[in-house]
Amino acid sequence: MTLSAQLGIVVGYLVLALLIGLSAYRLTDRTAADFYLASRTLGTVVLLFTTFATLLSAFTFFAGPNIAYHEGPEWILVMGLMDGIIFAILWYAIGYKQWLLGQQYDYVTLGEMLGDRFGSGLLRGLIAAVSLLWLFPYVMLQQVGAGTALETLTDGAIPYWAGAGLITAFMILYVVLAGMRGIAWTDTLQGAFMLVATWVAMLWLLTVVGGPTSATAALETEAAAHVALGSDHYTPQWMLSRALVIGFGVAMFPQVNQRFFAAGSRTVLKRSFALWPILCVLLFVPSFMIGAWAHGLDVTVPADGNVLPLVLTEFTPGWFAALVIAGAMAAMMSSSDSMLLSGSSYFTRDLYRPLAEFSERDVSERREDLIARVGVVVFATAAFLVSLVNPATLFELGDAAFSGFAQLALPVLAALYWRRTTRAGIGAGILLSQAFYLSSHFTTVVPGTYAGWSAGVVGMALGLAATVAVSLVTTPAAAERRALYFDRNETGAE
């Protein structure tokens, strides 16, 4: 297949996504609530697939299959099964509570909600700062993944920087124009497409090689350990550690957490979290099995290469490989655009707006909407420029993002369900867990594992312990009077 035809498929798919965003723009109100949350009107299918597509990151299509290629398919148990169940539980425990509070008090961000709960602008800013710290490199990694995918597909004819720049330009265009509504509509298309395309890719591969029995036999011949559960790498502590930090981390990802506020009704929210585990299994099984089977099919993966594009190029027609890579790029764009939107909201709502109000400036809905759209451009451009440098420390931050976000989860749960939680308590829990995890990741002073358990899990436990201990020895400040604990029936939202 010619290079121009491959590029035509990729660009055509991206243009289709942009047109959907433009259609949504016609229905967008010029208000911050509509730009960030689609006026809290998302239905079951759209909420489910926009959350699903938001998590279809470079990890899903590149890092995940790469892990399965090198270590075996047991990673499916972590991402496909355990994390699907853990996040579904948190979707209810955190998401439903947040939705109730959002309906009652019109919250847009997690920091806004907790800052109001504890009457603390500093806490609001702390949550925004921690979230932006872990969000920035994760946006950058999506751009890196897209640039690498296009470079691989075209055999280097399109350099990495051009591919990353292309995806960044498309992200900026339709996020700035359409906001959450356009993103949600596009996500629904891309989530459904990638779910179908990944299964078709796996079935196509199996048809070419003679079926799952032949593929598994070849894998066993090449790497017998890959077909045996309980390898040295996949210890119970390691698997549980990964499942916990990813499941809890996802619940704190700004682009996921904000969707808890966007559901149109409690019925929508409940249906969505009930269907979530099924959707996870349906995606991760084919994508990770492709990576695992590739190990036995004489697919050579360079040290810095990705197995999925190589398998598609070798075992499927060029047009199909281009279509799946285009879909994967669009899926990475789904992750990045949601991150950009959330990063913008955390900046405008939790940093800019409190400072403007403190200095007695006017903060109108239209002005905040304009600042938010400018923030998207700045955030995306900055991430793109840093991605061209490829500093190792930022890539380490990207790999650690799940664990970094997970450190917020237990203090937040305490604040939502334990009346005795104080401002000092939740602040201490967040600061201690973040400091501990950062130290374990970037220094040798704090170990990275403890009897097989990751520092991310240990940090979560320390954060919860600090939240409880400090709350027990401190008293609520006068500003902490809003008791955000009310019965479900206190809000009439359905």
Side-chain angles (χ1 to χ4, degrees), residues 137-218:
Y138 212 67
V139 171
M140 186 194 75
L141 288 179
Q142 309 313 309
Q143 294 164 320
V144 171
T148 303
L150 198 54
E151 186 177 39
T152 301
L153 180 67
T154 62
D155 290 327
I158 295 181
Y160 157 78
W161 66 265
L166 175 67
I167 207 76
T168 302
F170 270 91
M171 284 191 300
I172 290 173
L173 272 175
Y174 81 80
V175 173
V176 168
L177 288 176
M180 172 65 88
R181 194 181 305 277
I183 288 172
W185 287 13
T186 309
D187 284 352
T188 301
L189 165 70
Q190 292 172 175
F193 170 78
M194 286 313 300
L195 190 63
V196 173
T198 307
W199 274 95
V200 171
M202 185 187 75
L203 294 175
W204 204 315
L205 171 67
L206 292 177
T207 300
V208 171
V209 302
T213 302
S214 298
T216 303

Side-chain angles (χ1 to χ4, degrees), residues 62-338:
F62 297 115
N66 289 348
I67 292 174
Y69 177 87
H70 293 291
E71 305 290 346
E74 289 166 296
W75 187 252
I76 292 172
L77 296 176
V78 176
M79 290 295 293
L81 184 59
M82 289 191 284
D83 275 324
I85 294 172
I86 290 172
F87 180 60
I89 293 171
L90 293 174
W91 195 323
Y92 179 80
I94 295 176
Y96 183 48
K97 188 75 167 182
Q98 280 190 211
W99 180 81
L100 288 172
L101 300 176
Q103 292 291 316
Q104 190 86 347
Y105 301 108
D106 295 325
Y107 296 131
V108 172
T109 70
L110 178 66
E112 186 178 8
M113 180 185 76
L114 293 176
D116 193 33
R117 156 75 168 90
F118 294 101
S120 173
L122 286 177
L123 177 62
R124 183 174 179 175
L126 173 64
I127 293 172
V130 168
S131 298
L132 291 173
L133 167 69
W134 297 112
L135 193 64
F136 183 84
Y138 212 67
V139 171
M140 186 194 75
L141 288 179
Q142 309 313 309
Q143 294 164 320
V144 171
T148 303
L150 198 54
E151 186 177 39
T152 301
L153 180 67
T154 62
D155 290 327
I158 295 181
Y160 157 78
W161 66 265
L166 175 67
I167 207 76
T168 302
F170 270 91
M171 284 191 300
I172 290 173
L173 272 175
Y174 81 80
V175 173
V176 168
L177 288 176
M180 172 65 88
R181 194 181 305 277
I183 288 172
W185 287 13
T186 309
D187 284 352
T188 301
L189 165 70
Q190 292 172 175
F193 170 78
M194 286 313 300
L195 190 63
V196 173
T198 307
W199 274 95
V200 171
M202 185 187 75
L203 294 175
W204 204 315
L205 171 67
L206 292 177
T207 300
V208 171
V209 302
T213 302
S214 298
T216 303
L219 175 61
E220 186 173 14
T221 300
E222 184 69 25
H226 278 34
V227 296
L229 290 174
S231 65
D232 293 338
H233 181 71
Y234 290 110
T235 64
Q237 296 95 322
W238 184 90
M239 293 182 72
L240 286 172
S241 291
R242 296 307 303 163
L244 288 170
V245 297
I246 292 175
F248 280 84
V250 164
M252 292 293 103
F253 265 34
Q255 70 273 22
V256 174
N257 189 272
Q258 278 193 305
R259 279 159 171 73
F260 298 152
F261 290 125
S265 71
R266 68 180 69 192
T267 301
V268 166
L269 201 69
K270 290 178 178 179
R271 285 175 180 167
S272 299
F273 74 69
L275 293 171
W276 179 260
I278 300 172
L279 209 54
C280 283
V281 171
L282 288 176
L283 174 71
F284 289 117
V285 166
S287 62
F288 289 7
M289 287 308 301
I290 289 174
W293 278 323
H295 195 105
L297 297 177
D298 295 326
V299 176
T300 303
V301 180
D304 59 347
N306 296 305
V307 63
L308 187 61
L310 295 172
V311 171
L312 292 173
T313 301
E314 184 166 343
F315 290 96
T316 67
W319 66 266
F320 182 76
L323 188 62
V324 174
I325 294 301
M329 288 178 64
M332 285 182 274
M333 190 166 65
S334 291
S335 295
S336 296
D337 59 30
S338 296

Side-chain angles (χ1 to χ4, degrees), residues 438-448 450:
L438 284 168
S439 298
S440 73
H441 197 72
F442 294 107
T443 74
T444 58
V445 176
V446 178
Y450 298 80

Side-chain angles (χ1 to χ4, degrees), residues 83 345 420:
D83 275 324
S345 70
R420 189 65 181 80

Side-chain angles (χ1 to χ4, degrees), residues 116-120 421-424 475-483:
D116 193 33
R117 156 75 168 90
F118 294 101
S120 173
T421 307
T422 65
R423 178 195 307 171
T475 56
E480 298 181 42
R481 290 179 179 175
R482 174 169 284 182

